[in-house]
Amino acid sequence: MDNCPVVAHPNNYLTGSVFQENSHPLETVGTDFDHAMMQRCLELARRALGRTAPNPLVGAVIVQDGEIVGEGFHPRAGEPHAEVFALRAAGDRARGATIYVSLEPCNHYGRTPPCSEALVSAGVAKVVVGMVDPNPLVAGGGIARLRAAGIEVLVGVEQEACKKLNEGFIHRILHHRPFGILKYAMTLDGKIATTTGHSAWVTNQIARNEVHQLRAACDAIIVGGNTVKHDNPYLTSHKEGAHNPLRVVMSRRLNLPRVAHLWQTSEVPTLVLTEKEANPEVQEMLQKQGVEVVELTPLTPDTAMAYFYERGFCNVLWECGGTLAASAIAQGAVQKVLAFIAPKIIGGGDAPTPVGDLGFTSMTQALSLERVEMRMVGSDCLIEGYLPI
């Protein structure tokens, strides 16, 4: 599961050509019981949301005679994989059993030994896999090893749900960049704040709670300097025990306030990205408060995402203003958009909007989201979709 270089065309995995066994997404693979067990795998995997990068989220369940005898999940990079924890819990009852795992067992030595060999040694009779691992070091090799050992393998149970859970990991492997998510909240007339800049609160508490859950699933959350000045956000998950992502401020000139919630780093870290030799006095002030400062020249969404890739991140959340959001979209740093729309109208010709100038002059240039889903979140509407690749 550990990260590795890309050796295949990025679209091969997404279009299913790697996944020969269930190339038609609408086909149902497995029994109702298989699906229930795979959903349990996904439930277990989610316990490590935001903590496993650069590795994926993986859960495993071992079943003997219709009874769960062992289960586990991958807690973080460098620790044992989900299958190992499940095998430890099952003990001797793993022999002749069926193991369900949301991601293909690895078949190579990374930071940990190959899980395929552990399953063979444990004597399991059947392995049910949610999705093939896009990592070229695995990519079917684990499945092949299991079958060569005489173990029955079923692939593709809850495949789409497994892929969605790990869309950040998949994107990182295939594109050498973290998966970028742009989240914003706006009124019905497309404003993210009033003409004075007041923005608390556009959406209801239920929607804000959902944003806190989204943050907990990410490795970093990015804002620009203006957001720090005008909103003074905390950018935390607001829940005890939940993962808090690295809070990131992008500011070329470091014209930042001396006092801000983000400079309080005893519990949650903050990183400021800036350009070379920008405002040494402010850099020193930030570093004295425990804020990490990194110079990137030029400082752009693209260079920031390249930097985050080197840090091992899978999911990066953009919660920035319209100008930075437009740059992130234009430079391919955003793959997914989550737009919370509140049934409010505030007007204002100069009131800020969620996405700034993209240089488009005709409606035919508009970016149309794909795989769009819409649902109500309290009285607000959430539209979720993906930018074209």
Side-chain angles (χ1 to χ4, degrees):
M1 291 192 298
D2 299 318
N3 186 44
C4 68
V6 174
V7 297
H9 189 279
N11 289 329
N12 287 349
Y13 184 79
L14 299 178
T15 57
S17 61
V18 171
F19 209 137
Q20 298 298 325
E21 311 196 30
N22 184 22
S23 57
H24 303 288
L26 297 180
E27 288 183 2
T28 300
V29 176
T31 65
D32 289 345
F33 183 79
D34 290 335
H35 284 266
M37 291 300 97
M38 192 60 70
Q39 288 165 10
R40 175 58 180 164
C41 289
L42 294 172
E43 183 182 336
L44 291 165
R46 290 188 188 98
R47 293 184 182 179
L49 277 171
R51 305 179 194 274
T52 62
N55 285 0
L57 295 156
V58 186
V61 172
I62 298 177
V63 174
Q64 181 73 267
D65 297 325
E67 176 190 356
I68 295 177
V69 296
E71 56 184 28
F73 63 94
H74 179 51
R76 59 182 54 84
E79 295 199 16
H81 294 177
E83 301 93 319
V84 173
F85 284 108
L87 288 171
R88 287 177 183 173
D92 292 339
R93 291 177 294 179
R95 186 161 298 277
T98 296
I99 182 169
Y100 295 83
V101 59
S102 55
L103 183 72
E104 174 187 4
C106 63
N107 191 46
H108 67 285
Y109 284 88
R111 300 190 207 182
T112 56
C115 290
S116 57
E117 296 302 329
L119 295 176
V120 171
S121 298
V124 300
K126 182 177 180 179
V127 179
V128 180
V129 175
M131 60 174 272
V132 171
D133 193 330
N135 187 330
L137 287 178
V138 187
I143 292 168
R145 172 67 184 98
L146 294 170
R147 286 178 172 156
I151 297 172
E152 180 185 353
V153 182
L154 176 65
V155 184
V157 174
E158 293 289 335
Q159 175 187 338
E160 293 308 311
C162 292
K163 282 186 177 182
K164 185 162 186 177
L165 178 65
N166 276 309
E167 59 190 1
F169 169 73
I170 294 170
H171 186 83
R172 173 184 170 81
I173 287 289
L174 298 181
H175 299 277
H176 276 192
R177 286 289 189 274
F179 185 73
I181 305 167
L182 173 63
K183 167 265 158 186
Y184 57 81
M186 70 179 189
T187 59
L188 199 57
D189 54 340
K191 311 298 183 182
I192 60 174
T194 66
T195 53
T196 64
H198 187 262
S199 61
W201 295 101
V202 174
T203 53
N204 61 45
Q205 185 61 54
I206 300 173
R208 297 200 295 275
N209 289 343
E210 187 137 336
V211 171
H212 298 156
Q213 294 174 23
L214 173 64
R215 290 174 180 171
C218 293
D219 304 304
I221 175 172
I222 303 176
V223 296
N226 284 335
T227 298
V228 180
K229 286 186 281 188
H230 297 314
D231 297 345
N232 193 21
Y234 287 92
L235 301 183
T236 59
S237 300
H238 292 264
K239 185 178 180 181
E240 188 174 350
H243 167 71
N244 281 304
L246 176 67
R247 303 174 299 182
V248 181
V249 180
M250 290 180 62
S251 175
R252 287 195 179 98
R253 295 184 295 277
L254 287 187
N255 51 341
L256 300 170
R258 290 189 168 272
V259 178
H261 295 311
L262 293 182
W263 310 156
Q264 299 169 13
T265 59
S266 59
E267 295 183 7
V268 185
T270 299
L271 163 70
V272 172
L273 294 179
T274 190
E275 295 205 330
K276 189 175 180 180
E277 299 177 354
N279 206 332
E281 181 184 350
V282 172
Q283 287 203 37
E284 183 180 2
M285 178 272 293
L286 292 171
Q287 289 167 339
K288 283 182 177 179
Q289 297 185 72
V291 176
E292 183 183 3
V293 180
V294 171
E295 297 177 340
L296 297 176
T297 302
L299 178 60
T300 65
D302 183 59
T303 59
M305 291 298 260
Y307 172 72
F308 292 138
Y309 173 79
E310 294 302 324
R311 285 188 69 145
F313 294 171
C314 287
N315 296 286
V316 170
L317 180 61
W318 296 84
E319 276 201 50
C320 51
T323 301
L324 184 52
S327 295
I329 290 172
Q331 294 182 26
V334 172
Q335 283 68 52
K336 185 176 184 179
V337 177
L338 277 76
F340 291 86
I341 304 172
K344 302 174 181 179
I345 296 174
I346 59 174
D350 296 326
T353 58
V355 180
D357 187 11
L358 287 169
F360 298 161
T361 57
S362 68
M363 191 58 69
T364 55
Q365 294 174 289
L367 299 173
S368 296
L369 296 184
E370 302 171 347
R371 291 173 282 157
V372 175
E373 296 180 11
M374 291 179 281
R375 60 185 171 90
M376 297 304 296
V377 183
S379 59
D380 299 331
C381 175
L382 170 60
I383 297 180
E384 176 181 326
Y386 298 81
L387 289 170
I389 296 176

